[in-house]
Amino acid sequence: MTQKLKVGIVGGTGMVGQRFVDLLDQHPWFEVTAIAASASSAGKTYEQSVQGRWKLTSPIPEAVKNIVVLDASKVEEVANQVDFVFCAVDMKKDEIKALEEAYAKTGTPVVSNNSAHRWTPDIPMVIPEINPGHLEVIAAQRKRLGTETGFIAVKPNCSIQSYVPALHALLDFKPQVVIASTYQAISGAGKNFTDWPEMLDNVIPYIGGEEEKSEQEPLRIWGSIENNEIVKANAPLISTQCIRVPVLDGHLATVFVSFENKPSKEEILDRWQQFKGRPQELGLPSAPKQFITYFEEENRPQTRLDRDIEQGMGVSAGRLREDSVYDYKFVGLSHNTIRGAAGGAVLIAELLKAEGYIQAK
């Protein structure tokens, strides 16, 4: 590729927006040319707009420091400067839906980190290794929106990335019941320990809306396209508890699962080791070479040691063993703001580019 696609980040000053900025620095296919945020940030340079609230350990990339932040609500102004946008805004759901559709109707593809459109029937919610075929529904969505080139695609909730890939590799054995408890980092709430000191030495056994997402979104990912809409799968039955723990990054899950056709432990480990998806086949820039890494050690995966595996884009598993109530139990781990948020969205954009859905305007 000789010329990079021009990218806008809508909601670029928040934690996920900052992660987009970081991940896109020196990206081989994409270049950030516009950053948009609330009206209060508009008119400032990006460096000025995040002064005192830059949440990452890496510095602000030099390439974006002097970009003047635009008002995200001025859709045409932003859209005219880019080939597509990433969206990670902090607004009410109805406002997010309207904003993302407004961008799409300008002919601008939208890759969203937000939850607002995850259940819109003709909008694909994608983990690129798992359900790339759902992108086919974009044609129907474009017709509904009245655009030839614009559309919306979304990534799923960050918590499910820690266990859905491991289960997906085992779908041939027909998982019937899944019980998962997730232990979720504070960055999932857009926080660090400086601005959320109440989390130090503390566990909060509730994250609003998270359990419903964790139980239902995997079924949509495993669903099928019928009459130009994505219809969710009816199995497995999933029950979850989602808990906030004093960890900066990384969502860990403990998982119990029963199958219609129980595999051997060796079969499970082989499926995890061998699993590859469309991103690996295409050699996409952000795709992990090894999607699922299994640790033999009894005390792995550990959040701090293993969340950055494959630059934060891989998922890891460990402690696979038979269970006295269910067939098996295991532990899963993923990086919530990389694979589970901005990195996952970048990988979706790479897939959309490779499959011809995103092109230069």
Side-chain angles (χ1 to χ4, degrees), residues 14-271:
M15 178 173 272
V16 175
Q18 292 176 21
R19 184 66 80 177
F20 274 121
V21 165
D22 182 63
L23 291 174
L24 293 169
D25 188 39
Q26 307 298 321
H27 191 282
W29 292 5
F30 307 144
E31 179 182 7
V32 177
T33 58
I35 299 174
S38 64
S40 61
S41 294
K44 301 175 184 176
T45 66
Y46 186 68
E47 185 175 30
Q48 290 169 339
S49 72
V50 296
Q51 189 170 16
R53 54 194 185 106
W54 180 256
K55 295 179 184 291
L56 307 185
T57 54
S58 53
I60 303 169
E62 290 294 328
V64 300
K65 280 184 175 179
N66 294 318
I67 290 179
V68 176
V69 177
L70 303 172
D71 185 338
S73 67
K74 296 181 178 179
V75 173
E76 293 280 354
E77 182 182 358
V78 179
N80 287 339
Q81 299 185 33
V82 300
D83 295 314
F84 74 98
V85 299
F86 292 108
C87 191
V89 294
D90 183 11
M91 298 163 61
K92 294 176 181 176
K93 275 194 177 183
D94 287 347
E95 295 171 345
I96 295 172
K97 282 185 175 182
L99 183 69
E100 291 181 346
E101 288 199 358
Y103 274 97
K105 286 176 179 178
T106 68
T108 305
V110 177
V111 181
S112 177
N113 185 73
N114 302 302
S115 64
H117 272 300
R118 287 181 190 159
W119 289 93
T120 303
D122 60 6
I123 290 180
M125 178 174 70
V126 180
I127 297 177
E129 287 89 348
I130 292 177
N131 62 329
H134 283 191
L135 298 181
E136 293 174 11
V137 81
I138 286 173
Q141 182 200 144
R142 281 173 166 165
K143 191 172 182 180
R144 173 176 65 84
L145 294 176
T147 174
E148 292 185 3
T149 56
F151 62 87
I152 303 163
V154 303
K155 56 150 288 296
N157 196 45
C158 53
S159 67
I160 71 172
Q161 321 271 338
S162 57
Y163 58 90
V164 164
L167 293 172
H168 182 77
L170 308 175
L171 281 190
D172 285 352
F173 302 110
K174 297 184 178 179
Q176 299 293 291
V177 178
V178 174
I179 308 295
S181 291
T182 58
Y183 302 86
Q184 301 187 202
I186 63 172
S187 58
K191 306 281 189 180
N192 58 27
F193 288 112
T194 300
D195 49 30
W196 202 2
E198 297 86 354
M199 276 308 303
L200 287 166
D201 191 32
N202 196 21
V203 168
I204 298 176
Y206 173 72
I207 305 171
E210 201 77 359
E211 287 160 2
E212 181 183 4
K213 295 173 187 174
S214 298
E215 292 170 358
Q216 294 299 315
E217 288 187 14
L219 299 177
R220 188 169 198 256
I221 289 167
W222 288 322
S224 57
I225 298 176
E226 299 176 20
N227 299 318
N228 295 322
E229 295 184 351
I230 297 166
V231 178
K232 73 175 187 177
N234 53 23
L237 178 66
I238 304 173
S239 178
T240 66
Q241 291 198 97
C242 298
I243 298 167
R244 189 74 72 192
V245 294
V247 166
L248 181 59
D249 292 309
H251 287 355
L252 184 141
T254 58
V255 185
F256 299 80
V257 56
S258 288
F259 298 91
E260 183 176 316
N261 305 311
K262 182 181 176 182
S264 67
K265 181 177 179 180
E266 292 70 28
E267 285 176 313
I268 294 174
L269 293 177
D270 182 65
R271 294 297 177 93

